[in-house]
Amino acid sequence: MVDIILTAIVVLVIVTVIYRVVPHRDLGAKKPMLAFFPKYRNQVANPDSDDQIEQTMGSLGFKKSKSKGGLTEYSRGSVIGDLSIKLSKVKVTFHPVSNGKLPFAVEAAWVVAFDTGDHWQFTKELGDKLERG
């Protein structure tokens, strides 16, 4: 029994480390059927104000969790949610504006080994919503 628990802990640590070091992927045009270690980056036209970003994120259930050095992080959900991106803990990080574009990254706040395109779909929809204002 102890061997099973130790093995599970080691596997969890390995998956967590891999998820943390794997770089964000560009969003791409096609939703993947299965993605391992889903972390995406996207960019949108710079919104009119930071308030617009905060209102958009608030409407999606996100709360600002950190703002430092030009990076602003929002998060929502629970680590003990479920596999759906609507309930799992998600982190969105906005980077400083570059060439008139606002880059942002979406990832699980803890770890996700794979998903069926939910993170991609959410990243796409968030970008669309930010551009519409």
Side-chain angles (χ1 to χ4, degrees):
M1 182 67 163
V2 173
D3 290 343
I4 294 171
I5 293 171
L6 287 175
T7 302
I9 290 171
V10 168
V11 168
L12 184 60
V13 167
I14 290 170
V15 168
T16 301
V17 168
I18 291 171
Y19 188 74
R20 295 288 171 228
V21 299
V22 168
H24 290 83
R25 295 180 201 125
D26 287 325
L27 185 62
K30 186 177 177 189
K31 178 180 175 180
M33 291 180 64
L34 181 66
F36 292 97
F37 304 109
K39 294 166 50 172
Y40 294 100
R41 65 178 168 243
N42 194 6
Q43 59 182 354
V44 294
N46 188 24
D48 296 331
S49 69
D50 290 342
D51 289 339
Q52 180 183 350
I53 296 168
E54 199 153 337
Q55 288 175 354
T56 300
M57 297 305 289
S59 74
L60 296 170
F62 283 84
K63 292 186 173 140
K64 190 184 289 188
S65 55
K66 185 171 32 171
S67 185
K68 184 177 180 182
L71 298 177
T72 305
E73 288 183 5
Y74 290 85
S75 64
R76 75 165 185 204
S78 168
V79 172
I80 57 172
D82 70 8
L83 296 178
S84 165
I85 194 162
K86 293 179 181 167
L87 298 176
S88 64
K89 191 151 179 82
V90 176
K91 179 174 78 171
V92 177
T93 305
F94 290 95
H95 299 267
V97 173
S98 175
N99 296 325
K101 297 283 190 176
L102 175 66
F104 67 95
V106 174
E107 65 185 81
W110 187 50
V111 66
V112 173
F114 66 93
D115 84 343
T116 57
D118 288 345
H119 281 80
W120 183 95
Q121 185 71 39
F122 173 75
T123 305
K124 171 95 172 82
E125 289 172 359
L126 176 59
D128 293 346
K129 189 165 184 127
L130 286 167
E131 286 196 329
R132 285 193 306 264

PDB file of all heavy atoms in Angstrom, residues 34-54:
ATOM      1  N   LEU A  34      -7.026  16.258 -28.685  1.00  0.00           N
ATOM      2  CA  LEU A  34      -6.391  15.875 -27.436  1.00  0.00           C
ATOM      3  C   LEU A  34      -5.081  16.645 -27.333  1.00  0.00           C
ATOM      4  O   LEU A  34      -4.276  16.639 -28.265  1.00  0.00           O
ATOM      5  CB  LEU A  34      -6.112  14.370 -27.403  1.00  0.00           C
ATOM      6  CG  LEU A  34      -5.467  13.831 -26.135  1.00  0.00           C
ATOM      7  CD1 LEU A  34      -6.415  13.971 -24.945  1.00  0.00           C
ATOM      8  CD2 LEU A  34      -5.071  12.375 -26.311  1.00  0.00           C
ATOM      9  N   ALA A  35      -4.894  17.341 -26.224  1.00  0.00           N
ATOM     10  CA  ALA A  35      -3.674  18.121 -26.019  1.00  0.00           C
ATOM     11  C   ALA A  35      -3.031  17.700 -24.708  1.00  0.00           C
ATOM     12  O   ALA A  35      -3.710  17.616 -23.680  1.00  0.00           O
ATOM     13  CB  ALA A  35      -4.006  19.603 -25.989  1.00  0.00           C
ATOM     14  N   PHE A  36      -1.741  17.430 -24.768  1.00  0.00           N
ATOM     15  CA  PHE A  36      -1.003  17.101 -23.554  1.00  0.00           C
ATOM     16  C   PHE A  36      -0.391  18.376 -22.986  1.00  0.00           C
ATOM     17  O   PHE A  36       0.135  19.197 -23.721  1.00  0.00           O
ATOM     18  CB  PHE A  36       0.078  16.060 -23.857  1.00  0.00           C
ATOM     19  CG  PHE A  36      -0.501  14.726 -24.212  1.00  0.00           C
ATOM     20  CD1 PHE A  36      -0.655  14.350 -25.530  1.00  0.00           C
ATOM     21  CD2 PHE A  36      -0.932  13.865 -23.210  1.00  0.00           C
ATOM     22  CE1 PHE A  36      -1.212  13.129 -25.863  1.00  0.00           C
ATOM     23  CE2 PHE A  36      -1.495  12.635 -23.529  1.00  0.00           C
ATOM     24  CZ  PHE A  36      -1.638  12.268 -24.856  1.00  0.00           C
ATOM     25  N   PHE A  37      -0.481  18.535 -21.677  1.00  0.00           N
ATOM     26  CA  PHE A  37       0.030  19.704 -20.967  1.00  0.00           C
ATOM     27  C   PHE A  37      -0.451  20.999 -21.632  1.00  0.00           C
ATOM     28  O   PHE A  37       0.340  21.793 -22.122  1.00  0.00           O
ATOM     29  CB  PHE A  37       1.559  19.652 -20.877  1.00  0.00           C
ATOM     30  CG  PHE A  37       2.055  18.392 -20.237  1.00  0.00           C
ATOM     31  CD1 PHE A  37       2.704  17.424 -20.986  1.00  0.00           C
ATOM     32  CD2 PHE A  37       1.845  18.162 -18.890  1.00  0.00           C
ATOM     33  CE1 PHE A  37       3.150  16.249 -20.398  1.00  0.00           C
ATOM     34  CE2 PHE A  37       2.286  16.985 -18.291  1.00  0.00           C
ATOM     35  CZ  PHE A  37       2.940  16.032 -19.042  1.00  0.00           C
ATOM     36  N   PRO A  38      -1.783  21.231 -21.660  1.00  0.00           N
ATOM     37  CA  PRO A  38      -2.346  22.374 -22.373  1.00  0.00           C
ATOM     38  C   PRO A  38      -2.050  23.711 -21.687  1.00  0.00           C
ATOM     39  O   PRO A  38      -2.494  23.978 -20.578  1.00  0.00           O
ATOM     40  CB  PRO A  38      -3.854  22.076 -22.365  1.00  0.00           C
ATOM     41  CG  PRO A  38      -4.051  21.261 -21.124  1.00  0.00           C
ATOM     42  CD  PRO A  38      -2.806  20.442 -20.984  1.00  0.00           C
ATOM     43  N   LYS A  39      -1.259  24.520 -22.361  1.00  0.00           N
ATOM     44  CA  LYS A  39      -0.954  25.885 -21.953  1.00  0.00           C
ATOM     45  C   LYS A  39      -0.870  26.692 -23.245  1.00  0.00           C
ATOM     46  O   LYS A  39      -0.098  26.347 -24.126  1.00  0.00           O
ATOM     47  CB  LYS A  39       0.386  25.954 -21.220  1.00  0.00           C
ATOM     48  CG  LYS A  39       0.402  25.232 -19.899  1.00  0.00           C
ATOM     49  CD  LYS A  39       1.782  25.012 -19.323  1.00  0.00           C
ATOM     50  CE  LYS A  39       2.695  26.174 -19.246  1.00  0.00           C
ATOM     51  NZ  LYS A  39       3.943  25.892 -18.506  1.00  0.00           N
ATOM     52  N   TYR A  40      -1.662  27.747 -23.344  1.00  0.00           N
ATOM     53  CA  TYR A  40      -1.727  28.485 -24.601  1.00  0.00           C
ATOM     54  C   TYR A  40      -1.426  29.957 -24.403  1.00  0.00           C
ATOM     55  O   TYR A  40      -1.667  30.522 -23.338  1.00  0.00           O
ATOM     56  CB  TYR A  40      -3.118  28.340 -25.227  1.00  0.00           C
ATOM     57  CG  TYR A  40      -3.409  26.936 -25.649  1.00  0.00           C
ATOM     58  CD1 TYR A  40      -4.182  26.105 -24.854  1.00  0.00           C
ATOM     59  CD2 TYR A  40      -2.890  26.427 -26.834  1.00  0.00           C
ATOM     60  CE1 TYR A  40      -4.439  24.798 -25.235  1.00  0.00           C
ATOM     61  CE2 TYR A  40      -3.150  25.114 -27.212  1.00  0.00           C
ATOM     62  CZ  TYR A  40      -3.918  24.312 -26.410  1.00  0.00           C
ATOM     63  OH  TYR A  40      -4.165  23.026 -26.783  1.00  0.00           O
ATOM     64  N   ARG A  41      -0.943  30.574 -25.485  1.00  0.00           N
ATOM     65  CA  ARG A  41      -0.780  32.025 -25.507  1.00  0.00           C
ATOM     66  C   ARG A  41      -1.495  32.568 -26.738  1.00  0.00           C
ATOM     67  O   ARG A  41      -1.601  31.888 -27.759  1.00  0.00           O
ATOM     68  CB  ARG A  41       0.682  32.423 -25.475  1.00  0.00           C
ATOM     69  CG  ARG A  41       1.472  32.005 -26.669  1.00  0.00           C
ATOM     70  CD  ARG A  41       2.931  32.484 -26.579  1.00  0.00           C
ATOM     71  NE  ARG A  41       3.687  31.821 -27.613  1.00  0.00           N
ATOM     72  CZ  ARG A  41       4.682  30.996 -27.400  1.00  0.00           C
ATOM     73  NH1 ARG A  41       5.067  30.729 -26.184  1.00  0.00           N
ATOM     74  NH2 ARG A  41       5.304  30.437 -28.413  1.00  0.00           N
ATOM     75  N   ASN A  42      -1.974  33.777 -26.588  1.00  0.00           N
ATOM     76  CA  ASN A  42      -2.715  34.446 -27.648  1.00  0.00           C
ATOM     77  C   ASN A  42      -2.430  35.927 -27.507  1.00  0.00           C
ATOM     78  O   ASN A  42      -1.865  36.366 -26.501  1.00  0.00           O
ATOM     79  CB  ASN A  42      -4.213  34.144 -27.503  1.00  0.00           C
ATOM     80  CG  ASN A  42      -5.011  34.513 -28.742  1.00  0.00           C
ATOM     81  OD1 ASN A  42      -4.477  34.887 -29.766  1.00  0.00           O
ATOM     82  ND2 ASN A  42      -6.321  34.392 -28.632  1.00  0.00           N
ATOM     83  N   GLN A  43      -2.840  36.705 -28.473  1.00  0.00           N
ATOM     84  CA  GLN A  43      -2.742  38.154 -28.355  1.00  0.00           C
ATOM     85  C   GLN A  43      -3.907  38.790 -29.085  1.00  0.00           C
ATOM     86  O   GLN A  43      -4.407  38.240 -30.063  1.00  0.00           O
ATOM     87  CB  GLN A  43      -1.403  38.680 -28.856  1.00  0.00           C
ATOM     88  CG  GLN A  43      -1.088  38.370 -30.289  1.00  0.00           C
ATOM     89  CD  GLN A  43       0.287  38.910 -30.669  1.00  0.00           C
ATOM     90  OE1 GLN A  43       0.947  39.590 -29.902  1.00  0.00           O
ATOM     91  NE2 GLN A  43       0.723  38.612 -31.880  1.00  0.00           N
ATOM     92  N   VAL A  44      -4.331  39.927 -28.560  1.00  0.00           N
ATOM     93  CA  VAL A  44      -5.467  40.643 -29.133  1.00  0.00           C
ATOM     94  C   VAL A  44      -5.082  42.105 -29.286  1.00  0.00           C
ATOM     95  O   VAL A  44      -4.108  42.569 -28.689  1.00  0.00           O
ATOM     96  CB  VAL A  44      -6.725  40.515 -28.242  1.00  0.00           C
ATOM     97  CG1 VAL A  44      -7.207  39.089 -28.194  1.00  0.00           C
ATOM     98  CG2 VAL A  44      -6.470  41.043 -26.844  1.00  0.00           C
ATOM     99  N   ALA A  45      -5.869  42.830 -30.082  1.00  0.00           N
ATOM    100  CA  ALA A  45      -5.664  44.275 -30.187  1.00  0.00           C
ATOM    101  C   ALA A  45      -5.781  44.871 -28.784  1.00  0.00           C
ATOM    102  O   ALA A  45      -6.609  44.437 -27.991  1.00  0.00           O
ATOM    103  CB  ALA A  45      -6.691  44.880 -31.123  1.00  0.00           C
ATOM    104  N   ASN A  46      -4.932  45.831 -28.490  1.00  0.00           N
ATOM    105  CA  ASN A  46      -4.913  46.422 -27.160  1.00  0.00           C
ATOM    106  C   ASN A  46      -6.282  47.031 -26.815  1.00  0.00           C
ATOM    107  O   ASN A  46      -6.754  47.912 -27.525  1.00  0.00           O
ATOM    108  CB  ASN A  46      -3.824  47.502 -27.092  1.00  0.00           C
ATOM    109  CG  ASN A  46      -3.616  48.030 -25.700  1.00  0.00           C
ATOM    110  OD1 ASN A  46      -3.913  47.359 -24.725  1.00  0.00           O
ATOM    111  ND2 ASN A  46      -3.101  49.236 -25.612  1.00  0.00           N
ATOM    112  N   PRO A  47      -6.936  46.550 -25.755  1.00  0.00           N
ATOM    113  CA  PRO A  47      -8.218  47.144 -25.348  1.00  0.00           C
ATOM    114  C   PRO A  47      -8.052  48.610 -24.965  1.00  0.00           C
ATOM    115  O   PRO A  47      -6.940  49.070 -24.687  1.00  0.00           O
ATOM    116  CB  PRO A  47      -8.621  46.306 -24.131  1.00  0.00           C
ATOM    117  CG  PRO A  47      -7.881  45.019 -24.292  1.00  0.00           C
ATOM    118  CD  PRO A  47      -6.588  45.396 -24.948  1.00  0.00           C
ATOM    119  N   ASP A  48      -9.159  49.330 -24.927  1.00  0.00           N
ATOM    120  CA  ASP A  48      -9.127  50.762 -24.653  1.00  0.00           C
ATOM    121  C   ASP A  48      -8.572  51.080 -23.271  1.00  0.00           C
ATOM    122  O   ASP A  48      -7.954  52.121 -23.087  1.00  0.00           O
ATOM    123  CB  ASP A  48     -10.535  51.367 -24.789  1.00  0.00           C
ATOM    124  CG  ASP A  48     -11.046  51.254 -26.223  1.00  0.00           C
ATOM    125  OD1 ASP A  48     -10.211  51.243 -27.153  1.00  0.00           O
ATOM    126  OD2 ASP A  48     -12.270  51.170 -26.406  1.00  0.00           O
ATOM    127  N   SER A  49      -8.818  50.200 -22.292  1.00  0.00           N
ATOM    128  CA  SER A  49      -8.370  50.499 -20.932  1.00  0.00           C
ATOM    129  C   SER A  49      -8.208  49.211 -20.130  1.00  0.00           C
ATOM    130  O   SER A  49      -8.733  48.163 -20.499  1.00  0.00           O
ATOM    131  CB  SER A  49      -9.385  51.405 -20.232  1.00  0.00           C
ATOM    132  OG  SER A  49     -10.580  50.696 -19.980  1.00  0.00           O
ATOM    133  N   ASP A  50      -7.494  49.358 -19.009  1.00  0.00           N
ATOM    134  CA  ASP A  50      -7.357  48.224 -18.090  1.00  0.00           C
ATOM    135  C   ASP A  50      -8.706  47.874 -17.473  1.00  0.00           C
ATOM    136  O   ASP A  50      -8.953  46.716 -17.137  1.00  0.00           O
ATOM    137  CB  ASP A  50      -6.350  48.546 -16.984  1.00  0.00           C
ATOM    138  CG  ASP A  50      -4.923  48.602 -17.519  1.00  0.00           C
ATOM    139  OD1 ASP A  50      -4.675  48.069 -18.622  1.00  0.00           O
ATOM    140  OD2 ASP A  50      -4.062  49.177 -16.831  1.00  0.00           O
ATOM    141  N   ASP A  51      -9.575  48.881 -17.312  1.00  0.00           N
ATOM    142  CA  ASP A  51     -10.913  48.636 -16.767  1.00  0.00           C
ATOM    143  C   ASP A  51     -11.709  47.696 -17.666  1.00  0.00           C
ATOM    144  O   ASP A  51     -12.461  46.857 -17.190  1.00  0.00           O
ATOM    145  CB  ASP A  51     -11.684  49.944 -16.570  1.00  0.00           C
ATOM    146  CG  ASP A  51     -11.147  50.774 -15.422  1.00  0.00           C
ATOM    147  OD1 ASP A  51     -10.469  50.208 -14.539  1.00  0.00           O
ATOM    148  OD2 ASP A  51     -11.396  51.994 -15.408  1.00  0.00           O
ATOM    149  N   GLN A  52     -11.541  47.851 -18.975  1.00  0.00           N
ATOM    150  CA  GLN A  52     -12.245  46.973 -19.917  1.00  0.00           C
ATOM    151  C   GLN A  52     -11.799  45.525 -19.723  1.00  0.00           C
ATOM    152  O   GLN A  52     -12.615  44.613 -19.723  1.00  0.00           O
ATOM    153  CB  GLN A  52     -11.981  47.425 -21.352  1.00  0.00           C
ATOM    154  CG  GLN A  52     -12.672  46.558 -22.389  1.00  0.00           C
ATOM    155  CD  GLN A  52     -12.339  46.970 -23.804  1.00  0.00           C
ATOM    156  OE1 GLN A  52     -11.747  48.008 -24.048  1.00  0.00           O
ATOM    157  NE2 GLN A  52     -12.702  46.130 -24.754  1.00  0.00           N
ATOM    158  N   ILE A  53     -10.500  45.321 -19.533  1.00  0.00           N
ATOM    159  CA  ILE A  53      -9.981  43.973 -19.293  1.00  0.00           C
ATOM    160  C   ILE A  53     -10.559  43.429 -17.991  1.00  0.00           C
ATOM    161  O   ILE A  53     -11.034  42.294 -17.931  1.00  0.00           O
ATOM    162  CB  ILE A  53      -8.440  43.978 -19.225  1.00  0.00           C
ATOM    163  CG1 ILE A  53      -7.863  44.395 -20.567  1.00  0.00           C
ATOM    164  CG2 ILE A  53      -7.904  42.608 -18.811  1.00  0.00           C
ATOM    165  CD1 ILE A  53      -6.385  44.715 -20.536  1.00  0.00           C
ATOM    166  N   GLU A  54     -10.529  44.253 -16.946  1.00  0.00           N
ATOM    167  CA  GLU A  54     -11.021  43.813 -15.638  1.00  0.00           C
ATOM    168  C   GLU A  54     -12.510  43.487 -15.689  1.00  0.00           C
ATOM    169  O   GLU A  54     -12.956  42.501 -15.096  1.00  0.00           O
ATOM    170  CB  GLU A  54     -10.737  44.886 -14.585  1.00  0.00           C
ATOM    171  CG  GLU A  54     -10.803  44.330 -13.199  1.00  0.00           C
ATOM    172  CD  GLU A  54      -9.937  45.096 -12.215  1.00  0.00           C
ATOM    173  OE1 GLU A  54      -8.985  45.766 -12.611  1.00  0.00           O
ATOM    174  OE2 GLU A  54     -10.253  44.989 -11.030  1.00  0.00           O
TER     175      GLU A  54
END
